[in-house]
Every structure is written in C-alpha cells, then in structure tokens.
Amino acid sequence: MIKRLYIVLLPVLLLTLLSAGALRAQEKQYELPRKGNVQVSVIVGAGTYVTKTAPLPDLTDYSISAPIINWFDKSPILEIEGRWFFTDRWAAKLTAGFAMNVSPKQSAVEGLFESGAGSLTSTDIPNYGAVGGSENYQLSLGLGADHYWDIGKGLMFRLGAEGGFAYAKAKYKANNDTDYYDPSKGMAYMVNVSPVAGLDYYLTRTLFFSVGVRVFTYQYSLYSEIPQPGLKTLAADSHTFNFLGRPELKIGFNF
C-alpha cells in the first residue's frame, strides 16, 4: 500500500515543484512564514509504526523480545504534520494518528450428516469451526518546536527538538469458551526524543518543500503479554540510539 502511494505521490511532487518554480520566477519577493501562520504538511520518510499482537492462550511455553528500532531496516511511512508559528522564528509542531481493528468472535456451527460416517455427500452440511475474536488499537503522538533562520532566496534553515509517544494494544478471545473466558492481551509502549535539523524552500507564499533528518534519536520500547488472566505479565524492553536517522521529504502549505 505504501509503495503504491509513493508511485502516486512522487510524480505529483515533481509536477508541483516544476509549476511552483515557474510561479516563483514571476515573484519579486520571497514570502516567509510569520507569527500566527499555520502549516499543514505531508511527510514521506523511513520509519515504523508500533504494533503488537496478542498471544494464543493455550501454549505451553511463552517468550517475548522487544525489537531493536533501527531506521535503516524500516519501511516508508506517510505522516500528516501541523505547525503553528507563535513568533516569526519559532514554530510548534504536532503529529498524531490512531488506528483500530476489531474482528468479532464467531461461534462454531455443527453440521448435519444424513449419510453417517464417511465422505461428505450433497445432502450433508459440513461443520463450521469457531473463529477467535481480536481487537487491535494503535496510537501515536509527536510534539516539538523548531527555530528558523532566513538564509536568503526563500530558504530557511530550522533546528529544533521533538518527542514522540506510541502505544499499541491487542486482545484475542479464544474460540474455546469453555476453557478461556477472558481474552489474552499484548501491549507495546514507545517513547523517543530527537534534535531535528531541516531546510525549507518556499516556492510560493503558500507552498513549500522541505528536507529533514533526526540528528540523534533515543528511543525506549516496552513490549508485554498476558497469555491468560491471572498470570504474571511477560515483558521485555530495549534502548535504541540512532545518529542521522529517519531522513524525510515534506511538501506543505502555509496559511
């Protein structure tokens, strides 16, 4: 799905740059953002979304590990970002997202076999097995602020910091109601902090193009599971450090 979006977005981005460049050639002054301006941007970068599945409740052994979050190994991601300039040179930013998936539990349906034991005939009705129910939730939130420097000809260098939080929770209801009345659970938490550097080029008064990178990132991740109610939580955590990670491209609109 992400690759298809890339195929669509990259030609659109190229055409936007070419048309905006023609508009820029007709302008005599470079309009830069000012206090009170609001920006909305689409970001294309490398990263991952925190996800977690719930364990099956009827295993004899359980193990868990917290994955190492390394942007070199991640897939392309798309994000929506909002910014607000509270001074001419300082802007606060926010990114957020939420996803939910619910699969209802389906009970088993007993078949009807008029022919008795043996192969199924055209008058027999087969058994339908039960389907376990599941719920999955994902939440992400990012907050930060950047300081801007005007370096001329529509270019602005920015340097700032950001912090992120992500949470994922999953529940699985076994298809055997007799043995397992309550669902198993899986959870994941992630927090990170990063200084961020970037370069914005204002093609027109309202349209700009940007590149950026996380100079340094520290991330803490915690993954946990509860296979059955009453059992002790099984958990694992990890600490990750990245340098010059998660490069990104951005196209935005200034209002």
Side-chain angles (χ1 to χ4, degrees):
M1 180 62 181
I2 296 296
K3 291 182 178 179
R4 293 178 181 176
L5 289 174
Y6 263 84
I7 294 174
V8 174
L9 287 176
L10 289 180
V12 172
L13 180 59
L14 180 59
L15 291 174
T16 301
L17 292 176
L18 293 175
S19 60
L23 291 174
R24 166 60 70 195
Q26 300 175 3
E27 296 183 0
K28 296 181 180 180
Q29 296 181 348
Y30 293 90
E31 295 289 341
L32 300 178
R34 298 179 180 179
K35 180 180 178 180
N37 284 171
V38 175
Q39 294 181 347
V40 178
S41 308
V42 177
I43 299 174
V44 181
T48 185
Y49 297 104
V50 172
T51 184
K52 186 72 182 74
T53 57
L56 295 174
D58 55 353
L59 303 180
T60 58
D61 298 280
Y62 291 92
S63 62
I64 191 174
S65 62
I68 298 175
I69 308 299
N70 185 340
W71 79 267
F72 290 100
D73 302 326
K74 301 307 169 186
S75 302
I77 63 172
L78 290 173
E79 292 181 326
I80 303 298
E81 179 189 80
R83 288 176 181 258
W84 172 59
F85 280 80
F86 55 90
T87 74
D88 288 344
R89 290 295 178 263
W90 280 97
K93 61 182 178 180
L94 168 68
T95 57
F98 176 76
M100 178 178 66
N101 183 304
V102 178
S103 297
K105 180 178 179 297
Q106 303 293 334
S107 300
V109 179
E110 186 176 354
L112 179 62
F113 300 90
E114 296 181 353
S115 60
S119 60
L120 190 70
T121 67
S122 60
T123 60
D124 294 335
I125 301 175
N127 295 316
Y128 282 10
V131 177
S134 64
E135 298 179 14
N136 294 272
Y137 305 92
Q138 293 173 267
L139 171 68
S140 65
L141 179 66
L143 295 170
D146 289 332
H147 186 272
Y148 287 76
W149 287 269
D150 180 7
I151 57 178
K153 295 186 178 180
L155 288 172
M156 296 192 77
F157 175 75
R158 55 183 168 86
L159 183 64
E162 67 179 23
F165 169 78
Y167 170 71
K169 183 176 182 179
K171 296 181 181 181
Y172 178 76
K173 179 65 175 176
N175 53 24
N176 187 340
D177 289 328
T178 303
D179 297 330
Y180 308 103
Y181 293 100
D182 295 316
S184 59
K185 299 178 181 179
M187 290 165 286
Y189 302 86
M190 181 275 291
V191 292
N192 63 44
V193 291
S194 307
V196 183
L199 188 66
D200 296 357
Y201 177 49
Y202 286 82
L203 303 166
T204 67
R205 295 178 180 179
T206 59
L207 180 65
F208 69 94
F209 175 72
S210 176
V211 294
V213 67
R214 273 70 174 173
V215 180
F216 167 79
T217 301
Y218 165 72
Q219 180 165 301
Y220 174 74
S221 303
L222 174 64
Y223 283 64
S224 62
E225 293 181 352
I226 304 177
Q228 299 177 31
L231 295 182
K232 182 180 178 180
T233 300
L234 179 63
D237 59 357
S238 66
H239 303 266
T240 305
F241 303 87
N242 283 320
F243 295 89
L244 299 178
R246 283 197 62 184
E248 64 183 26
L249 301 175
K250 177 168 60 177
I251 181 170
F253 301 90
N254 185 63
F255 304 98

